[in-house]
Amino acid sequence: MVKLLSVFHLFFIAIFLCNENSAQGQTLKITSVINEPYVMLKQSAKPLTGNDQFEGYSIDLIDEISQILDLNYTIQLAPYNSDKRTGAWDRIVTELIQHHADIAIGDLTITSEREEVVEFSTPFMNTGISILYRKPSRKPPALFSFMGPFSPSVWISLAIAYMVVSGLMYILGRFTPSYLSQQEAKDDGQFSMMNCMFLPRSLSTQLAAGVWWFFVLVMVSMYSANCAAFATNDIVEYTIASVEDLVRQFRIKYGVVKGGSTASFFRNSNNPTYETMWSAMESSELTAFVSNSAEGVSRVVKGDGKYAFLMESVAIEYVTERRCDLTQVGPVLDSKSYGIAMTKNSTYRSQVNVAILKLQENGKLQTLQKRWWKEKRGGGSCDFFSSNDNFVYELGLDNLIGVFIVLIIGLGIACIIGACECLFKSRMERYI
């Protein structure tokens, strides 16, 4: 009897070990959808077939896992569903439920709803929901943008102060003893109103002039300090900075991927702000929902500031590495993770988890993300622009053309007055 029990014990151990190594040497069916940078069609001059036609982060990830577990796999895309109410990830989850595939890869978010019907591996990437929006664009400078550092009231006050000080200096000069002396009285023109505006001579008017010059020095310093910053800061400010800003306005539309985890987050949320956003998206379903992330990014680009797209922050990071006119706005709203999905009660789960942990420990996951986010397919092209976002732009002719116009007009008036003076003088000489 004891021997019989031992035989059964060994038999069950053998079955357990067999299940633990069930992935080894097996050929697994893997399903996914085309979605950058996780699964993409490989760019090649010749037609490709089978696994060779795909590339991307998830392709490299499953390849690393297959090498660790010594298994083979075939990749097949989930069939396209013309029903726009069904999201892309619902299609590949359905493939697992119907046992048309063993594993699903991509940016598949781990959610409680999906955990009820499929198995998930250990997370290989963490993310959260944020807003993709257009960067503010530089607007053409105004013709007289050089006057911007001071408000119109300050310019008017300066002109009034100039006239008042000049008049006061003229009055003071008229009552000074130096003006009444014979030396000064020989030529009344030496202390005319015009001279008071440029070159006063008496002590009292010189003191007034000194105070005026100090005032002018302070005003010029303040103007100079503010002029460069004002002239180069001719950009449109963000019209939104958070989801609260989206709720408080109606001009900018916003949306999510239909049937995705982001849509589930807003649909199931008890937060009043998120509930309001979900109601707004449902009421404008045609403009709010998109079939995939690429369509959402396209709407942001074409919307020209009138559409914002809510998506995972790692996806926004990938997009903004290649589209320098787009940026992430606001903080991350939640915390979620991506995992590899498998059929319910899959015997491969524990082995896939171990493989992912090994890739995480040796830094391979970070290397794969850097490769596909920063290096492949145009990645890193916006690094120069992002590093110079806080630099001061140089002043162009457009910023200072108003000053040149004032100079040209002033010189033109001076020439006209000079010509009139010469003409008047020549006429007077004829009569003399």
Side-chain angles (χ1 to χ4, degrees), residues 192-214:
S192 63
M193 182 64 180
M194 294 301 297
N195 286 343
C196 290
M197 295 183 179
F198 298 100
L199 189 60
R201 293 178 179 273
S202 64
L203 180 61
S204 59
T205 52
Q206 287 177 353
L207 178 61
V211 175
W212 169 251
W213 291 340
F214 176 76

Side-chain angles (χ1 to χ4, degrees), residues 1-14:
M1 184 70 178
V2 174
K3 291 182 179 180
L4 183 61
L5 290 175
S6 299
V7 171
F8 276 111
H9 182 66
L10 293 174
F11 176 73
F12 283 117
I13 291 178

Side-chain angles (χ1 to χ4, degrees), residues 361-415:
E361 290 171 357
N362 62 26
K364 194 65 178 181
L365 292 181
Q366 291 78 6
T367 302
L368 291 179
Q369 184 169 355
K370 181 180 178 182
R371 177 191 303 170
W372 289 103
W373 264 252
K374 291 280 189 180
E375 299 172 359
K376 293 281 190 176
R377 296 208 177 189
S381 59
C382 296
D383 287 346
F384 173 79
F385 295 97
S386 61
S387 63
N388 286 279
D389 280 346
N390 296 323
F391 286 6
V392 176
Y393 293 95
E394 64 180 8
L395 293 177
L397 182 60
D398 292 342
N399 301 97
L400 301 175
I401 192 171
V403 179
F404 286 95
I405 291 176
V406 171
L407 176 62
I408 293 172
I409 293 175
L411 294 177
I413 294 174
C415 292

